Amino acid sequence: MSRLTDRTGAVTRVMGVGGVLLLVATAATLREPPPEPPAPAEPPPAASTFIAPPPNAEPMTKRFLGLIPVYPRAKTIPMGRLEANGNPMEMAYFETTDTPGAVMEFYAREFHRQGHRTATEPDGAGGGAISYYDAKRGALIAVTTVGIGGNPPRTQVFPSIIDTPEGMHLKAEAPAALPRAPGATTMMRIEDRNPGPTLGNTTVTEVARGTPASLAGFYRQQFELRGYVQKDARTEPQGVELLDFQKPGERISLSLSPMTHSESPETLVTVVIEYVEAAQERRP
């Protein structure tokens, strides 16, 4: 049995939660946004009932605060500075009772005001992602929105900065072939479109309900049903579960990291899909 290697960044992360990777590059350009409406006077939204702040997340950096505008009447929670597959990233999170479309329009106005050409990728369910690539900094600046319903309806928002080369394509939904864990919310998906051995590789980051151990059982069953063979597995400190699956031409690496310890636990799920040649598959 080959030794499990951490392709998801769960071991090399800077903060104490699991690794997170991402999504976004060039898609359809947003139309010119409408004029900014006056901000209505309303109380701040209620605290999240789903995603809780990671226990050891470090404060947001000055670069993050300088590049991503603060959304009105929202409390931004740092998710931490991470590294996964060689792509350093910083992510935050907030909730609002505004619609995903209103959040996207706000960031379209702000990014255009700063002189950036943005791209958008809808998720087909009212949410989506808006991004731009900063060639000077070598970074992808992105905001992902997820409508989660409720009364009143709420929107989960994930701003991020990813230090990555151009050629990475952002998507706002998980691949159709990926097993969906209970209550999964897709935070990010990024596909490598650069020519070379990593072409087509995809990383998906989600938040799912359940503990890492219970979700590990779910993924074992689902990937085995899809013809994958489990190559290795291990439990890291703080309850992080690492799983590695493979079938001809494809390798799946998962990191399952606890976000909260409560009666309704949540887990950060990072899935890396790699397409490998026969020579790589035979490598011990």
Side-chain angles (χ1 to χ4, degrees), residues 163-263:
D163 295 307
T164 182
E166 289 190 86
M168 295 293 181
H169 182 70
L170 173 67
K171 299 285 286 185
E173 78 282 351
L178 180 67
R180 303 305 308 283
T185 297
T186 302
M187 296 162 63
M188 295 185 181
R189 169 183 171 185
I190 189 167
E191 297 177 351
D192 193 338
R193 299 255 178 116
N194 291 300
T198 62
L199 179 64
N201 289 359
T202 300
T203 301
V204 180
T205 301
E206 299 190 317
V207 175
R209 296 189 179 106
T211 64
S214 66
L215 290 172
F218 166 83
Y219 283 112
R220 285 190 185 96
Q221 180 185 51
Q222 292 298 314
F223 279 114
E224 287 173 3
L225 288 174
R226 287 162 170 77
Y228 293 86
V229 175
Q230 180 174 309
K231 304 299 291 185
D232 214 339
R234 72 171 183 264
T235 302
E236 291 291 313
Q238 298 184 342
V240 176
E241 298 284 344
L242 299 179
L243 302 172
D244 201 9
F245 300 91
Q246 193 166 325
K247 70 178 182 179
E250 194 171 330
R251 181 184 297 138
I252 305 287
S253 301
L254 291 96
S255 165
L256 310 174
S257 307
M259 293 190 67
T260 59
H261 299 278
S262 64
E263 294 181 358

Side-chain angles (χ1 to χ4, degrees), residues 9-260:
V11 176
T12 58
R13 65 194 183 284
V14 176
M15 71 180 209
V17 209
V20 184
L21 208 57
L22 333 30
L23 38 109
V24 182
T26 44
T29 304
L30 273 181
R31 58 180 173 81
E32 190 64 27
E36 183 174 5
E42 63 178 57
S48 170
T49 57
F50 182 29
I51 296 179
N56 300 315
E58 299 181 17
M60 289 172 282
T61 62
K62 291 183 179 179
R63 181 179 77 153
F64 191 95
L65 295 172
L67 289 176
I68 300 183
V70 176
Y71 194 77
R73 306 175 305 281
K75 180 181 179 181
T76 304
I77 299 170
M79 298 289 284
R81 297 191 293 278
L82 317 134
E83 181 170 326
N85 290 359
N87 294 311
M89 166 190 166
E90 184 175 0
M91 180 188 285
Y93 160 78
F94 66 85
E95 272 194 13
T96 176
T97 53
D98 293 345
T99 65
V103 176
M104 299 271 281
E105 292 287 3
F106 169 82
Y107 282 104
R109 282 192 299 268
E110 293 300 312
F111 290 155
H112 289 181
R113 187 175 296 161
Q114 296 170 1
H116 302 297
R117 182 183 177 88
T118 58
T120 184
E121 177 73 26
D123 66 0
I130 180 171
S131 67
Y132 70 88
Y133 189 79
D134 189 323
K136 181 182 294 185
R137 293 181 173 88
L140 184 67
I141 290 81
V143 177
T144 304
T145 64
V146 180
I148 58 173
N151 188 18
R154 295 176 295 138
T155 300
Q156 294 176 339
V157 186
F158 302 93
S160 62
I161 298 176
I162 308 149
D163 295 307
T164 182
E166 289 190 86
M168 295 293 181
H169 182 70
L170 173 67
K171 299 285 286 185
E173 78 282 351
L178 180 67
R180 303 305 308 283
T185 297
T186 302
M187 296 162 63
M188 295 185 181
R189 169 183 171 185
I190 189 167
E191 297 177 351
D192 193 338
R193 299 255 178 116
N194 291 300
T198 62
L199 179 64
N201 289 359
T202 300
T203 301
V204 180
T205 301
E206 299 190 317
V207 175
R209 296 189 179 106
T211 64
S214 66
L215 290 172
F218 166 83
Y219 283 112
R220 285 190 185 96
Q221 180 185 51
Q222 292 298 314
F223 279 114
E224 287 173 3
L225 288 174
R226 287 162 170 77
Y228 293 86
V229 175
Q230 180 174 309
K231 304 299 291 185
D232 214 339
R234 72 171 183 264
T235 302
E236 291 291 313
Q238 298 184 342
V240 176
E241 298 284 344
L242 299 179
L243 302 172
D244 201 9
F245 300 91
Q246 193 166 325
K247 70 178 182 179
E250 194 171 330
R251 181 184 297 138
I252 305 287
S253 301
L254 291 96
S255 165
L256 310 174
S257 307
M259 293 190 67
T260 59

